[in-house]
């Protein structure tokens, strides 16, 4: 019996199977109904629920987040992420639901287009000293170093698995990360002093897929502003919701919190209000069907590589755990109401002169 048949016997259904398709359609119908009912909540703000953006630690539960998520075995991430960048954030297929669903991009192409869009919106010139918070396996770094011969990048991640992956590529002169213009800090952004991060020596700070883990926005922006000279820029890319869902501000209250201890989904408008340290230059809502397509392709590749994952990497319980993760993110967050409820926010800020 092959892995897919064995897992089906254990009640775990494969991507593309009739059982899983029916289940996902059911969940999308359920959450579409829920979100339509919550429509009037669009005007609520965090303060109405006693949620502060400026109290407490910048980050919470980073150790649990690493051990339960980012430090999963590298073979797991390699099985589903795109082969060129190993990006672990939304790819970009298009602006409108129709464009996104009709796009012929491969995952690799859609990640490339995402980085092009980010660099355009961040006004990258090509000579900057860049700091990247939460660099994952270095996808933005790979794109920047390959496309801009004068750019220098310093990146930070607390993940042992990600740091090890990047260090190996930095030894490989054939890889963009091995070009000699890349520096890695293996550590926690919140726990590192400005001096440890390199001081105010950067022109542009990026955080791609990382502000979902931040609790105290105020202290995060203060820490970022300290890295930038006057007129330095900061570009953020993160999962956001259009209406406010207070339960997503507390990872203990949602199933998705099981995968991201300490994680939260900020309302799109909340980041637009953050003006204590940096000036807001522009913001864009990126339709969530882009993330649905990204996750669906990750889910597809996860199952395509199931024989080797099942035999050598993941237990049956692990497979159930990660299969549920792809299903939940796709159907609870990004598919309902054509990606208009949950998507990604892009934000450009500039330091004051
Ligand atoms: C969703 S991944 C995105 C990775 C990468 N930017 C990409 O686009 O593929 C989130 C990243 O944030 C990092 N992260 C989480 N907590 C952090 C912290 N306290 N300090 C620095 N990075 C952190 C994780 O290790 C991971 O690299």
């Amino acid at each position: 019996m092959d892995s897919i048949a064995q897992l089906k016997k254990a009640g775990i259904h494969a991507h593309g199977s009739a059982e899983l398709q029916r289940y996902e359609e059911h969940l999308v119908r359920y959450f579409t109904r829920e979100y339509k009912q919550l429509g009037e909540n669009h005007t609520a703000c965090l303060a109405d629920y006693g949620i502060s953006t400026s109290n407490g630690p910048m980050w919470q539960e980073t150790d649990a987040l690493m051990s339960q998520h980012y430090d999963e075995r590298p073979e797991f991430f390699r099985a589903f992420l795109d082969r060129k960048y190993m990006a672990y954030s939304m790819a970009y297929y298009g602006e409108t639901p129709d464009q996104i669903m009709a796009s012929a991009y491969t995952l690799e192409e859609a990640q490339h287009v995402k980085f092009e869009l980010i660099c355009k919106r961040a006004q990258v010139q090509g000579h900057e000293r860049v700091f990247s918070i939460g660099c994952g396996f270095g996808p933005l770094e790979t794109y920047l170093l390959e496309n801009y011969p004068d750019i220098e990048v310093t990146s930070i991640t607390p993940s042992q698995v990600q740091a090890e992956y990047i260090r190996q590529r930095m030894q490989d002169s054939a890889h963009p990360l091995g070009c000699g213009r890349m520096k890695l800090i293996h550590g926690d952004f919140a726990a590192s002093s400005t001096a440890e991060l390199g001081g105010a020596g950067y022109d542009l700070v990026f955080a791609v897929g990382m502000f979902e883990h931040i609790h105290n926005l105020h202290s995060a922006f203060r820490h970022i502003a300290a890295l930038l000279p006057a007129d330095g820029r900061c570009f953020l890319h993160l999962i956001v919701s259009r209406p406010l869902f207070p339960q997503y501000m507390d990872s203990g209250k949602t199933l998705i919190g099981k995968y991201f201890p300490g994680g939260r989904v900020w309302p799109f408008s909340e980041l637009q209000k953050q003006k204590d340290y940096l000036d807001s230059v522009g913001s864009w809502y990126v339709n969530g069907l882009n993330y649905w397509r990204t996750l669906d392709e990750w889910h597809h590749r996860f199952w395509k590589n199931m024989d080797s994952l099942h035999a050598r990497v993941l237990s049956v319980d692990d497979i159930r755990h990660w299969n549920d993760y792809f299903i939940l993110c796709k159907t609870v967050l990004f598919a309902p109401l054509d990606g208009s409820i949950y998507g990604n926010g892009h934000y450009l800020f500039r330091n004051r002169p």
Side-chain angles (χ1 to χ4, degrees), residues 59 62 66 70 87-89 134-136 139 157-158 162 188-189 208-210:
W59 246 276
T62 298
M66 293 304 129
Y70 294 114
Y88 196 27
S89 48
C135 60
T157 177
Q162 294 168 358
D188 179 336
F189 181 71
V208 177
M210 190 280 306

Side-chain angles (χ1 to χ4, degrees), residues 59-60 62 65-66 69-71 81 85-90 111 114-115 132-141 156-159 162 187-191 207-214 237 260 291 325:
W59 246 276
Q60 272 173 351
T62 298
L65 178 66
M66 293 304 129
H69 198 115
Y70 294 114
D71 282 338
L81 294 179
Y85 297 104
M86 291 278 285
Y88 196 27
S89 48
M90 180 212 77
Q111 288 294 2
K114 182 262 296 286
F115 290 122
S132 165
I133 315 169
C135 60
F137 297 100
L140 173 69
E141 292 69 5
I156 186 166
T157 177
S159 158
Q162 294 168 358
D188 179 336
F189 181 71
V208 177
M210 190 280 306
F211 259 61
E212 294 89 332
H213 303 306
I214 285 187
H237 164 120
F260 293 106
Y291 224 147
Y325 163 68

Side-chain angles (χ1 to χ4, degrees), residues 73-138:
R73 279 143 287 195
E75 296 85 349
F76 164 68
F77 291 106
R78 257 194 253 253
F80 69 89
L81 294 179
D82 71 278
R83 302 201 73 76
K84 162 100 191 178
Y85 297 104
M86 291 278 285
Y88 196 27
S89 48
M90 180 212 77
Y92 188 76
Y93 293 88
E95 192 175 335
T96 65
D98 287 346
Q99 286 166 354
I100 297 164
M101 298 315 282
S103 165
Y105 289 150
T106 62
L107 178 62
E108 284 70 13
E109 288 165 343
Q111 288 294 2
H112 183 89
V113 172
K114 182 262 296 286
F115 290 122
E116 269 177 357
L117 179 69
I118 285 180
C119 288
K120 185 167 159 236
R121 289 182 172 170
Q123 302 173 5
V124 171
Q125 310 291 309
H127 57 263
E128 289 92 338
R129 289 152 304 162
V130 166
F131 191 83
S132 165
I133 315 169
C135 60
F137 297 100

Side-chain angles (χ1 to χ4, degrees), residues 120-193:
K120 185 167 159 236
R121 289 182 172 170
Q123 302 173 5
V124 171
Q125 310 291 309
H127 57 263
E128 289 92 338
R129 289 152 304 162
V130 166
F131 191 83
S132 165
I133 315 169
C135 60
F137 297 100
L140 173 69
E141 292 69 5
T142 299
Y143 177 87
L144 290 172
L145 294 168
E146 185 166 65
N147 288 282
Y148 299 101
D150 294 325
I151 230 160
E152 289 171 20
V153 188
T154 301
S155 301
I156 186 166
T157 177
S159 158
Q160 181 68 43
V161 165
Q162 294 168 358
E164 191 49 39
Y165 177 91
I166 292 181
R167 279 194 196 111
Q168 281 175 15
R169 303 293 162 308
M170 285 171 69
Q171 302 302 316
D172 176 1
S173 59
H175 194 282
L177 298 178
C179 67
R181 289 176 282 124
M182 166 84 201
K183 209 170 132 192
L184 178 70
I185 302 173
H186 179 204
D188 179 336
F189 181 71
S192 309
S193 68

Side-chain angles (χ1 to χ4, degrees), residues 60-62 64-70 212-213 215 247-265 321-322 324-325 328-329 332-333 342:
Q60 272 173 351
E61 302 184 58
T62 298
L65 178 66
M66 293 304 129
S67 63
Q68 289 178 40
H69 198 115
Y70 294 114
E212 294 89 332
H213 303 306
H215 279 237
Q247 65 273 33
Y248 278 100
M249 302 305 293
D250 178 349
S251 68
K253 290 195 176 144
T254 69
L255 275 177
I256 289 173
K258 176 165 95 166
Y259 298 93
F260 293 106
R264 47 176 48 185
V265 181
H321 175 83
W322 289 115
D324 286 348
Y325 163 68
L328 279 173
C329 293
V332 178
L333 300 183
Y342 290 93

